[in-house]
Each structure stands twice: as C-alpha cells, then as structure tokens.
Amino acid sequence: MPPNKQPRTEPIVRVRTGCYTCRRRKKKCNEAKPACGGCVRNKLSCHWPSNVSAEPRSESNSSSSSSTTTTTTTTTSTSTIPDQKAAPDNSQGLENSQITTCLAIGNVIPRSLSMLPGYSPESFQLLSHYLATTADCMANGSTPINPFLVQIVPLAFTSDLMLQLVLTQSAAHRAFRARKDADEVADSHYTKALRLFRKGVTDFIDGKESNPLMLTVGALVMCFTETAKGDMNGTIFDHLSAANSLLIRLLSHSDTAVPKDLKDFVIEYYTYTATVSMISIDARVSPQLLLNFDLEQRARHLLASEYVGNLSGCWLELLLLIPCIFDLGREFMMHDGDGDGDDHEHGHGHHQPRRPTADNIAMYGSLQCQIMRWEPYAFVTPEVFLAGRIFQQAMLLYLFTSLGSSFSRAANGMHQALIESAIVEAMSYLRQLSATVRINSGLCWPIAVVGSCLADSEQQQNELRLRLTTMVNTFGLGNMQRTLLLLEHMWQTPLAEAGPWNICRVMQQKQIWISFA
C-alpha cells in the first residue's frame, strides 16, 4: 500500500503549492519565487494563489498585480493565451479595466477578453487604447463617471457585436491620430463590425433576438466611429437613421428591461447626436426626421433631475430647442424662393422675401426668450459652465440667422447688431476656455455655427483656426479636422451667404458630408 500512496501524494502537494500558470498549463512547477523556472523559461507571467505565501516581489512586479483574489483570477486567465508574450508590456489600462469590468456575479466570473477565442494580440492593444484614450476623447468630462467606460465596456464583455464595435472605434481613432489615410487594421475591423451589425439586424427582424439594446447602442457607437475617423461621405446619417428606429423599439419595452442609467445615457447619446446633426440637413428641401415628439419628451424627462451628461453637458435644454429652430427656419426658407440670391443680386426675377407672420414672430420671440433666460447649473465645473455659455450664444446665432433673406446680414440694423453681439460673446467665452481641456470634444457644433458667421473677420477666423488645430492635435478626432476644413470653405463665401443655414450648401458643393457630433 505505501508504494501505491506515494505517487498520489506528490501530485497533490505540487498542485496545491505550484504557481497558477504552471497549474493551468499542467506543467510541473519548481516552486521558485517570485517567478518559477518554467515561467521564466517560457517568458510567462508567474502568478501565485492567494493562499500560498510568496516571497516579496520586486516593485515593478507588485505594481502590475494586486494581492486580492479578484486580481489574481483576472491576470491568471490572461496567461492562458498562447501568444500572450506578443502583447505589449505597457497595457496597464487593459489590466485595470479587466479588474473593473469583469465583476463577479455570485461566484461566477463573466468571460473576459482573455478567454475569447479568435482575438489576436492586436485586439488587446486596441482595447487598451480604447480604455486609455478613445473613451476619454468620446466623453467631454462633464461628470467624473465616463459612460463610455462604465456603460459601454460591460456591454462589450457580454456581446461579440459590442466588443467588435469598441475595437473598431478604437482602431479608427488610433489610425486618425497617427494620420494614416489607409490603415489595414482599422479597415479590417470596420468591415467585420458592419458584417456583425447587419447580422444582428437580420436576427432582430427574424425574431431571433427580441431586445434591441445591443443594436441601438451599437448604431450609436458606429456614429462616433465615423466622427473619430473623420468620414466625409455622410455614413453617420445612415447609422443615425438605424439608431432612431431601434431606439423607438427599445423605449417601447418595459422600463425594467434596461437599467435606468444605461437608458438615460442612450437617450442622451441619441439626442445629442441627432440635434447637432440637423445643421447638415438643407431645411429648404428636407424636413428633419431625427427627433420625433416621443423621443424629445423622453429627453425632456431628464431635465427634471438637472441631468448633466458627458455629451450634452448641462445644455441639454438648449439642444432640445434646435428642432424647433430648424422647423421655424424651414418655414421661412420654403417661401424664400430658391435662396441662392443670384437673381436678386443681378436683377433677375421679381421674387420678394416673405415677411414673418404673427405666429412666426411669436415663435421666434418664445425661442429667443427660452435661450436667453437659460442658465448653466450652479454646481457644474467652470469648464462646463463656459461651454454652456458658448452653446447659448451659438443657439442665438442659429435662431437669428433662421430668418433667411427676410433680414440681410449685409444691411446694418438691429438684426445685424444682435448677430454681432452673439459672435463677440461667443468668442469671449472661447478665449476663456483652453483648447486642450476635455470639454472641447463636444464643441464642434457651436464652433461651426459661430465660425460660419465670420466671413468678414480674418482675426476671428485665425483664432478658430488655431483652436481647432490644437483640438485636433490634442484629441485626434477626425470630425474636428473636418470642421476646420468646412469652415475654410465657408470663409471664402460672401457675407450675404454666410451663416449656419448655408453650411449644408457648402457641404453639397465641396462634397463634405459630416456631422458635428
């Protein structure tokens, strides 16, 4: 009997005291500490069970691993990947994210990226880039909790589609920051993301999936992927249209089907993207179909709790006035002839600009009053406060110029004085706000509105040119560079054709179809 017991005793001792890496590889461990011979020989991370007393490790090793059971479990699973040694050593953001997002539910640990088959070391680098850089650039920093981390990342660990979309966004952002017009990795991930998204839509239509949450969030993530890479083909509007239909379906579900914080973020995400994209629509030929009454009311419910978001800041109330101004401007312009101004300038035709009706004047006055009486919340940071004031002045400019040719900018008078006053105020607030703070990631829309009115001010043009250049170099977002490109074209137009309502026409002439989200 003793000879039979001896072989059974040694393996038990080895399994109990060997490092996690050797145990998972089913290799014999010589139990050397801090790193055993097998791990050193194979260049693997050597991790020890929490119930085994290890000798003190070097400072560099102790900084990359925690003494808690959760950290040990997370980092141990990473070492099971055969090509782990190909991953970069400086991915501290990735290791921290695994600790944060792989939360245990009872005794069950959700899958982490290290357990997913078919993902190359490049995917680890992209996820690390997203966690460390892209997520921060997507959010404007209005609140200390970044929803692109606390809401999007957990979804990515439960859905192949969401994970691929996150990697795609990170790849697009990384490629633009490196100024790569053609990036094989980014293109490959983008193609795969579109394929997975289309499959998800097909499954939803066929009834294989009843909850549109992942598809809704996925469509919104794709919107910001387009802004990150600076797409000029208007692809974002296709994603936005898909998000509109999916969000309506999602909101028809029970309120308990989606956590409140996540649903609030999705509503904010869509509302922000839709409202700042309306300026790209030519009101003369098309109505806005991005924000219907039900979605608008859902967004207004957030205002009751003084909602501050990482996209809409503290100015969500102002954003919800954009559809109203759009409809008012559309009504003016539909009766304003072709709006080119060439016939009037050269004496051709006898078209007379339509004068506002009493209802138009009442609506105009109501909107102006709502904008001017708006105040940023007292509890927001100084950067958010200034950004809110910049949005306020841009909203006034958007309203003042909605009158079309009923009031000419070339003529002096009260109307022109209001426009000049709003420009001066907006530029004053911009000068107080550093171009490198995170809040700038959400300022493309007001900068475009203000900048479109600067056809006769070279000094102010240079200020915005320098600001946008600094923003591009700081955040590496493509839509910032495209905003500057568009304004350069706007500044070549005559004063009579300046203003935000002609941005869409310059887009059409120069084939620059972008959103300012």
Side-chain angles (χ1 to χ4, degrees), residues 334-345:
M334 289 294 289
H335 298 278
D336 221 15
D338 58 12
D340 290 335
D342 294 337
D343 289 344
H344 310 304
E345 183 178 349

Side-chain angles (χ1 to χ4, degrees), residues 22 201 231 246 351 404 463 500:
C22 289
V201 171
D231 176 72
L246 291 165
H351 172 74
E463 287 187 52

Side-chain angles (χ1 to χ4, degrees), residues 291-312:
L291 199 67
N292 62 24
F293 179 78
D294 181 57
L295 292 178
E296 180 183 336
Q297 292 305 305
R298 291 277 189 164
R300 289 193 179 279
H301 289 163
L302 300 178
L303 298 176
S305 59
E306 296 187 335
Y307 184 85
V308 176
N310 262 276
L311 294 174
S312 62

Side-chain angles (χ1 to χ4, degrees), residues 139-189:
N140 63 26
S142 292
T143 67
I145 300 176
N146 186 344
F148 289 91
L149 291 175
V150 301
Q151 302 293 354
I152 300 296
V153 172
L155 292 180
F157 277 85
T158 60
S159 165
D160 290 331
L161 170 61
M162 282 303 305
L163 177 59
Q164 183 58 51
L165 291 172
V166 165
L167 297 178
T168 300
Q169 187 175 90
S170 179
H173 183 219
R174 188 181 68 174
F176 184 85
R177 285 174 67 90
R179 302 298 192 272
K180 292 183 178 179
D181 294 333
D183 185 276
E184 184 178 348
V185 173
D187 293 342
S188 174
H189 279 280

Side-chain angles (χ1 to χ4, degrees), residues 170-386:
S170 179
H173 183 219
R174 188 181 68 174
F176 184 85
R177 285 174 67 90
R179 302 298 192 272
K180 292 183 178 179
D181 294 333
D183 185 276
E184 184 178 348
V185 173
D187 293 342
S188 174
H189 279 280
Y190 186 82
T191 301
K192 185 176 181 180
L194 285 180
R195 184 170 65 250
L196 286 177
F197 185 80
R198 288 167 182 160
K199 180 180 182 300
V201 171
T202 301
D203 290 345
F204 181 74
I205 293 175
D206 293 342
K208 297 179 182 178
E209 175 59 55
S210 59
N211 191 341
L213 174 62
M214 292 298 178
L215 289 174
T216 304
V217 178
L220 293 172
V221 170
M222 287 298 290
C223 287
F224 274 29
T225 299
E226 304 299 344
T227 62
K229 71 177 185 178
D231 176 72
M232 295 192 296
N233 299 316
T235 311
I236 185 174
F237 298 100
D238 295 331
H239 302 319
L240 195 56
S241 177
N244 178 283
S245 301
L246 291 165
L247 181 57
I248 293 174
R249 297 282 191 93
L250 178 65
L251 295 179
S252 67
H253 285 60
S254 170
D255 288 339
T256 60
V258 181
K260 183 180 184 303
D261 289 346
L262 177 57
K263 180 173 285 190
D264 289 349
F265 172 59
V266 171
I267 292 173
E268 179 206 3
Y269 201 153
Y270 179 81
T271 302
Y272 167 79
T273 309
T275 52
V276 299
S277 298
M278 288 181 193
I279 200 171
S280 304
I281 302 173
D282 192 343
R284 302 166 182 85
V285 298
S286 175
Q288 72 85 11
L289 302 174
L290 300 177
L291 199 67
N292 62 24
F293 179 78
D294 181 57
L295 292 178
E296 180 183 336
Q297 292 305 305
R298 291 277 189 164
R300 289 193 179 279
H301 289 163
L302 300 178
L303 298 176
S305 59
E306 296 187 335
Y307 184 85
V308 176
N310 262 276
L311 294 174
S312 62
C314 63
W315 50 88
L316 178 60
E317 183 178 357
L318 294 177
L319 293 177
L320 291 174
L321 297 179
I322 290 179
C324 302
I325 299 175
F326 183 94
D327 291 340
L328 180 64
R330 173 174 166 77
E331 187 170 343
F332 282 125
M333 295 173 189
M334 289 294 289
H335 298 278
D336 221 15
D338 58 12
D340 290 335
D342 294 337
D343 289 344
H344 310 304
E345 183 178 349
H346 296 92
H348 303 302
H350 302 283
H351 172 74
Q352 295 295 324
R354 173 186 177 274
R355 291 296 175 179
T357 65
D359 288 341
N360 295 148
I361 294 297
M363 176 60 70
Y364 181 94
S366 174
L367 290 170
Q368 183 178 1
C369 181
Q370 291 180 68
I371 297 171
M372 296 189 70
R373 75 183 180 189
W374 177 86
E375 290 286 338
Y377 299 134
F379 57 83
V380 299
T381 63
E383 290 83 4
V384 178
F385 182 92
L386 286 172

